């Protein structure tokens, strides 16, 4: 993609768990692209190095009371993620160890993606931003499934790339027309009649 579309700047790469490996994270770091990759279920808990604090499988630090520490954003100047005591940041939160810090600000923990770029992602796993970003993958996954399953792309007996491309474009056009028809207030029969009348005019 980078070679084909050099005029674009890619800031994020949203991938499924098949790409959950350190080589992919390192490559994206090299290109300064933020990785949004699902953790592979068989690879959870596999750290490159021992984590400096107690954390869960999504890279979220756990406090002494056993609770997930509240994410307080990414600090770009120092390239690290800030986490604060959940007892202090969430007023309705009751912690049995509420006095683990003398500061009214509460205990603060920092993590750095450079420690383990797979676990300590710039956007913490499980955060609202992470979930909203990962949702964007679902539209492309649904499209791929529709092309392969409903429109039986893989049953086409062709070899050349150009013929594959033509068949994919035709299926995408059919999906677009189908979605357009579903959203249209005009009945299918009238929609076709209206289109022919428009062409005739």
């Amino acid at each position: 993609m980078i070679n084909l579309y050099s005029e674009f700047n890619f800031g994020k790469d949203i991938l499924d768990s098949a790409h959950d490996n350190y080589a992919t994270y390192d490559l994206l770091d090299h290109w300064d692209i933020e990785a949004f990759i699902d953790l592979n279920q068989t690879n959870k808990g596999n750290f490159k190095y021992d984590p400096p604090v107690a954390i869960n499988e999504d890279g979220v630090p756990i406090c002494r009371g056993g609770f997930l520490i509240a994410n307080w954003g990414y600090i770009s100047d120092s390239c690290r993620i800030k986490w604060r005591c959940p007892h202090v940041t969430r007023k309705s939160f009751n912690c049995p160890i509420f006095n683990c810090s003398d500061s009214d600000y509460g205990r603060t923990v920092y993590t750095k993606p450079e420690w383990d770029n797979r676990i300590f992602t710039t956007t913490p796993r499980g955060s609202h931003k992470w979930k909203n970003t990962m949702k964007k993958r679902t539209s492309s996954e649904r499209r791929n499934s529709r092309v392969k399953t409903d429109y039986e792309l893989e049953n086409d007996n062709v070899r050349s790339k150009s013929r594959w491309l033509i068949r994919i474009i035709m299926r995408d056009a059919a999906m677009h027309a189908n979605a357009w028809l579903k959203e249209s207030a005009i009945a299918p029969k009238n929609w076709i009649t209206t289109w022919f009348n428009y062409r005739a005019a």
Side-chain angles (χ1 to χ4, degrees):
M1 291 290 290
I2 290 176
N3 291 334
L4 287 173
Y5 303 103
S6 57
E7 66 272 22
F8 294 119
N9 292 321
F10 296 96
K12 299 176 183 176
D13 198 1
I14 310 171
L15 303 169
D16 60 24
S17 60
H19 300 85
D20 180 29
N21 56 76
Y22 282 106
T24 300
Y25 288 95
D26 292 342
L27 181 63
L28 292 176
D29 279 349
H30 174 73
W31 284 331
D32 198 25
I33 298 174
E34 184 176 1
F36 288 82
I37 306 175
D38 274 335
L39 285 176
N40 192 318
Q41 295 296 322
T42 60
N43 204 25
K44 283 191 174 183
N46 179 23
F47 304 101
K48 181 184 290 187
Y49 308 108
D50 290 335
V53 291
I55 61 169
N56 70 356
E57 60 191 17
D58 290 330
V60 180
I62 302 171
C63 73
R64 288 173 52 194
F67 301 100
L68 298 180
I69 302 179
N71 175 258
W72 219 248
Y74 181 74
I75 305 174
S76 57
D77 292 343
S78 54
C79 299
R80 59 183 184 172
I81 304 166
K82 184 177 183 179
W83 308 84
R84 288 185 59 197
C85 169
H87 176 74
V88 175
T89 57
R90 302 168 193 165
K91 303 301 182 183
S92 60
F93 189 87
N94 294 318
C95 177
I97 313 175
F98 61 88
N99 59 347
C100 60
S101 173
D102 295 333
S103 171
D104 293 336
Y105 193 75
R107 183 175 291 276
T108 304
V109 175
Y110 296 93
T111 58
K112 287 191 174 185
E114 66 184 40
W115 289 339
D116 191 328
N117 56 4
R118 175 175 169 264
I119 301 300
F120 298 113
T121 51
T122 302
T123 300
R125 299 180 187 276
S127 64
H128 291 297
K129 183 181 178 182
W130 177 276
K131 292 178 181 178
N132 289 335
T133 302
M134 292 300 290
K135 284 179 182 178
K136 296 178 182 179
R137 273 192 60 246
T138 60
S139 58
S140 61
E141 293 294 337
R142 287 196 302 270
R143 177 263 173 196
N144 293 340
S145 176
R146 191 90 191 276
V147 167
K148 292 180 180 178
T149 306
D150 297 346
Y151 290 93
E152 301 180 347
L153 175 66
E154 295 177 343
N155 291 338
D156 285 8
N157 192 18
V158 294
R159 294 185 179 180
S160 70
K161 291 181 180 179
S162 59
R163 292 189 177 184
W164 275 117
L165 178 61
I166 291 171
R167 282 161 171 77
I168 290 172
I169 291 173
M170 291 173 65
R171 284 168 168 84
D172 283 336
M175 281 190 291
H176 180 73
N178 189 18
W180 190 12
L181 190 59
K182 285 183 178 179
E183 294 296 324
S184 176
I186 304 173
K189 182 179 179 180
N190 296 334
W191 183 74
I192 295 172
T193 304
T194 303
W195 183 79
F196 275 115
N197 291 338
Y198 173 79
R199 294 281 293 179

